[in-house]
Amino acid sequence: MWIPPTDEARDLLGLVEEIADGELTPRTAADHESRGEFPREIVRTLGRAGLLGLPYPAELGGAGQPYEVYLRVLERLAYRWLTVAEAVSVHTLSCYPAAVHGDDRLRKLVPDLIGGELLGAYCLSEPAGGSDAAALTTRAVPDGDGYVVTGTKAWITHAGYADFYTVFARTGGPGPDGISCLLLDAATPGLEPQARERLMGLRAGAPAQVVLDGARVPAERLVGTDGQGFRIAMSALDAGRLGIAACAVGLAQAALDYAVGYARERTQFGSRIIDFQGIGFMLADAATSISAARALLYTAARLRDAGLPFRTEAAQAKLFATDAAMRVTTDAVQVLGGAGYVTDHPVERWFREAKLLQIVEGTNQIQRLVIARALARP
C-alpha cells in the first residue's frame, strides 16, 4: 500500500476520487466511447481542480507535486476511464517543452497553458514518420520575424479540440539536429485539424491528422534554440512514457478487479469459478504482473524526482506495464467467457484500449531498442 508523502498529496488523491465518483462513472465512459465523443467539459473540470498542471512548479502556475504523485493521479483516472487519463497525460506532455525549455517570454505563457481552461496537443509523428521521428518532413521556413510552417502531422490526440499545439518541424538540414520546436495557437491561420481517426479503442479520444498549410508562427514562439527540437522531444517522451505506464497500470487493475468480482460470483459445476485453479492461477498471474509493473513505474518516477537519469527505467516501465495490461485485459475477457465478449461488460473495451498503449509514445519495440542500446554502452 502506498502512503502519500504529504497531507497535500493525500488530499489531492481524495479530490481525484471525489471527482471520479461524480464525473467518471462507468455509464458516462461507456456512453462517450460508444458515440466517440471527447469529454472536453470533464477534462475542463479536472483542469479547474488543478489537475492539468500537477508536476509543474508553483511559480509557473502548477501544483508543484512530485512526478510520482502526478502518476498516482493518472493511475486512478485510468482505473475509471482511460480516455480521460490519456487526455491529462498528453496535455502534460504538450506543456513540457515550453515549461522546461522555453525562454522567459514563453514561460510567461505557461500559467495559462497549465491553468485548466486550455488543452494542448503534441505534434511529433507524421504519416511517413512514426518511430523514425528524426526523419520528419514538416518544414518551418524563416520568414521575416517568424516562421512559415508547412507539412502534415499524424495521430495527434486532441486535434480539433486543443487550444495550442506543440509542433516539431524542420528548420535546418536532415537528421535530428535540423529539428526545432514551435508553439502554435489553435487559431493560427493554416493550422487545419482533419477528420478524426476511426479507432479500435479509445474512440472518445480519437486522434486526427493536422495539416499545416503555410501557418505563420512568430519567432518568439520558438521553444529552446534552433535545432534543439529533437532533444526536447525525446526528453519530453521520457517523462511521457511514465504517464502511459501509469495509464496501463490503472487500466489493468480495473480489468483484474472486475474479473475477480465476476469469478467470485459465477458458479459452474457447483463451485465458484475463482476456486478452479485454471481461473485462480490466471488471476494470480495478473495480480503479480500488475504489482511488478507498478514497482517499475514508481521506481522510475522516484529517479526522476531525485534528478537522476531515468530514460532506461522509463522505457522498462512503459514496456512492461503496457504488455502486462494487454495480457491482463485479454485474460479478463477469458475469465468472463462469452460474457466478456459483449459490450454489457467493460472488459472487451478495456481489451481494445490496452492494445493502443503498446503503440503510443514509442512502440514497445522502440522501448526494447532503448533498453538494448543502454545495455550495449560501456
Side-chain angles (χ1 to χ4, degrees):
M1 177 180 293
W2 181 68
I3 300 174
T6 64
D7 289 343
E8 184 181 10
R10 185 194 63 237
D11 293 343
L12 175 64
L13 292 172
L15 174 63
V16 171
E17 295 294 344
E18 180 181 334
I19 293 174
D21 287 341
E23 302 286 346
L24 310 183
T25 65
R27 177 171 293 183
T28 300
D31 182 54
H32 277 73
E33 292 296 337
S34 66
R35 290 185 286 111
E37 178 184 344
F38 181 65
R40 182 64 184 94
E41 288 307 310
I42 292 176
V43 176
R44 200 184 307 276
T45 297
L46 296 179
R48 290 170 179 166
L51 301 182
L52 296 188
L54 289 178
Y56 294 113
E59 57 266 27
L60 292 179
Q65 290 296 319
Y67 214 73
E68 180 180 1
V69 172
Y70 159 67
L71 294 173
R72 298 278 180 179
V73 169
L74 276 188
E75 180 187 337
R76 295 189 182 203
L77 291 174
Y79 183 88
R80 302 299 191 100
W81 187 1
L82 182 58
T83 288
V84 171
E86 193 208 24
V88 174
S89 179
V90 169
H91 175 79
T92 303
L93 178 71
S94 305
C95 295
Y96 175 92
V100 177
H101 297 278
D103 59 17
D104 289 342
R105 288 178 299 184
L106 276 179
R107 285 167 67 86
K108 288 179 181 178
L109 300 176
V110 173
D112 288 335
L113 303 185
I114 64 178
E117 294 295 329
L118 303 183
L119 187 65
Y122 189 82
C123 304
L124 178 62
S125 294
E126 297 186 355
S131 294
D132 188 8
L136 65 81
T137 59
T138 296
R139 295 205 65 86
V141 178
D143 184 72
D145 59 353
Y147 297 88
V148 175
V149 186
T150 302
T152 301
K153 293 298 180 178
W155 310 111
I156 306 306
T157 301
H158 303 156
Y161 295 96
D163 300 288
F164 64 93
Y165 293 75
T166 299
V167 176
F168 296 88
R170 191 165 299 285
T171 55
D177 292 337
I179 296 171
S180 296
C181 179
L182 297 159
L183 183 66
L184 279 69
D185 292 328
T188 302
L191 191 157
E192 303 167 358
Q194 304 299 295
R196 298 170 75 198
E197 304 287 354
R198 293 177 292 180
L199 296 187
M200 172 180 164
L202 264 82
R203 292 168 181 162
Q209 290 191 355
V210 175
V211 172
L212 297 150
D213 185 10
R216 181 173 290 275
V217 191
E220 59 264 25
R221 290 299 188 94
L222 175 70
V223 182
T225 59
D226 187 87
Q228 191 183 3
F230 188 77
R231 292 187 293 278
I232 292 174
M234 294 301 102
S235 177
L237 287 175
D238 287 340
R241 285 164 180 163
L242 294 180
I244 296 300
C247 288
V249 170
L251 182 69
Q253 188 68 61
L256 173 61
D257 289 352
Y258 197 93
V260 167
Y262 183 89
R264 287 172 177 169
E265 297 295 328
R266 174 72 168 172
T267 60
Q268 290 289 280
F269 307 103
S271 298
R272 301 182 307 167
I273 65 171
I274 199 170
D275 296 322
F276 296 118
Q277 286 187 345
I279 299 296
F281 284 8
M282 189 183 299
L283 296 172
D285 286 346
T288 302
S289 66
I290 292 170
S291 293
R294 190 175 280 120
L296 278 171
L297 168 62
Y298 293 115
T299 294
R302 292 177 198 122
L303 288 174
R304 186 188 189 279
D305 285 333
L308 298 171
F310 69 98
R311 172 167 291 176
T312 302
E313 289 79 5
Q316 290 172 333
K318 196 272 183 184
L319 167 64
F320 190 89
T322 58
D323 279 354
M326 191 72 254
R327 288 192 303 271
V328 171
T329 55
T330 299
D331 286 347
V333 172
Q334 194 70 20
V335 169
L336 269 69
Y341 203 68
V342 297
T343 57
D344 296 355
H345 297 277
V347 290
E348 61 82 28
R349 173 165 60 84
W350 295 335
F351 166 80
R352 291 184 281 108
E353 291 173 345
K355 186 64 211 174
L356 184 65
L357 299 179
Q358 293 180 302
I359 298 170
V360 296
E361 297 201 25
T363 66
N364 283 7
Q365 287 68 37
I366 289 295
Q367 306 314 311
R368 290 179 171 89
L369 184 61
V370 170
I371 297 163
R373 285 177 174 172
L375 294 172
R377 286 193 295 268

